[in-house]
Amino acid sequence: MATSKFPTQKDGSETFSQETAVVVFVLGGPGSGKGTQCPKIVEHFGFTHLCAGDLLQAEIESESENGTMIQNFKKEGKIVPSAITVKLLQQAMQLSDNKRFIIDGFPRNEENRTAFENIMKIEPEFVLFFDCPEEELTKRILNRNQGRVDDNIETIRKRLKVYFESTLPVINYYNSKGKVQKIDAQRSIDEVFEDVKSVFSKLKPVARVGSMN
């Protein structure tokens, strides 16, 4: 059996600690532009981009015992337990030479949120929320998903329903704590990024990925 490709510890782990890590959650509905804006944030502000879905898929492909378990959850149509997802995020952060992270599309629900805070003992610096109305999200997904199996309107409605029922309460929770930076995501990519830059520019200067201070 192969071992996990995400080891639990990393030599030189002084580059990462829960006390010094800066975490930004990036949330918004499917089609809101998270996947477009995150690489721009990495390029301009030196953050490391983590995506929970990508980490889960990488673990499956590693054929580790953990990956087999994740695969089985997916095959059975079950949600992967939040603790597993958080542990993968934690390990990826420990492997990074950076201390600042944008976590894309996570937490998706309240269980994700509480698991992250309980395991990591970190609250996000802020939540970057790409706000976009349902009609616009539907139109964008239909346009980008042409030819894909899941491009029918019923599947899109189900995805949006899950988002509004599960993820919006997370955004509302952080909003009540004054931690949400809302971006109007209906505009052009460049216009949206101007607002994103304004938000991130308020943080202290960020070391480039891979640099050591």
Side-chain angles (χ1 to χ4, degrees):
M1 183 72 68
T3 57
S4 168
K5 64 196 297 184
F6 297 110
T8 55
Q9 289 186 326
K10 178 198 175 189
D11 290 338
S13 59
E14 70 276 4
T15 59
F16 169 80
S17 76
Q18 255 106 268
E19 291 75 27
T20 59
V22 174
V23 171
V24 173
F25 291 146
V26 182
L27 296 174
S32 61
K34 301 187 301 296
T36 300
Q37 296 294 330
C38 282
K40 289 177 169 290
I41 296 168
V42 170
E43 180 184 353
H44 283 77
F45 295 101
F47 276 66
T48 291
H49 177 204
L50 299 177
C51 176
D54 289 349
L55 291 175
L56 288 167
Q57 186 57 39
E59 190 69 5
I60 290 171
E61 290 171 5
S62 77
E63 298 183 346
S64 68
E65 188 174 343
N66 212 19
T68 302
M69 180 171 59
I70 294 166
Q71 178 89 307
N72 289 336
F73 274 114
K74 291 196 167 192
K75 281 181 181 175
E76 294 167 13
K78 296 178 181 177
I79 296 172
V80 176
S82 295
I84 292 176
T85 305
V86 173
K87 286 289 186 183
L88 289 176
L89 286 166
Q90 183 182 44
Q91 290 162 5
M93 290 164 80
Q94 289 170 341
L95 280 168
S96 176
D97 288 329
N98 204 354
K99 297 180 183 179
R100 304 204 176 194
F101 304 90
I102 48 173
I103 301 182
D104 173 8
F106 183 93
R108 290 182 180 271
N109 53 44
E110 281 289 293
E111 187 199 3
N112 282 175
R113 179 186 69 76
T114 55
F116 186 88
E117 291 185 3
N118 290 337
I119 294 170
M120 297 292 293
K121 310 299 183 190
I122 298 174
E123 282 199 11
E125 190 78 12
F126 59 85
V127 175
L128 189 66
F129 170 38
F130 290 108
D131 187 29
C132 198
E134 186 171 0
E135 308 79 49
E136 177 66 18
L137 293 174
T138 302
K139 184 172 74 174
R140 289 182 182 183
I141 299 169
L142 280 171
N143 287 339
R144 79 180 186 188
N145 283 9
Q146 285 179 356
R148 277 175 47 174
V149 176
D150 60 354
D151 64 357
N152 65 83
I153 194 69
E154 281 308 311
T155 301
I156 292 169
R157 283 179 180 152
K158 285 177 184 175
R159 289 178 66 195
L160 290 171
K161 185 172 185 285
V162 169
Y163 163 71
F164 284 112
E165 289 181 355
S166 298
T167 307
L168 270 186
V170 174
I171 294 165
N172 291 335
Y173 168 82
Y174 284 119
N175 193 46
S176 72
K177 303 187 78 171
K179 284 183 172 285
V180 171
Q181 297 285 344
K182 185 164 77 168
I183 304 290
D184 178 2
Q186 293 187 77
R187 298 161 303 154
S188 72
I189 291 170
D190 289 342
E191 287 174 317
V192 169
F193 190 58
E194 283 303 311
D195 279 3
V196 170
K197 283 196 293 187
S198 177
V199 169
F200 276 86
S201 294
K202 295 172 187 173
L203 289 173
K204 293 176 184 177
V206 180
R208 288 288 174 181
V209 178
S211 67
M212 297 284 290
N213 288 335

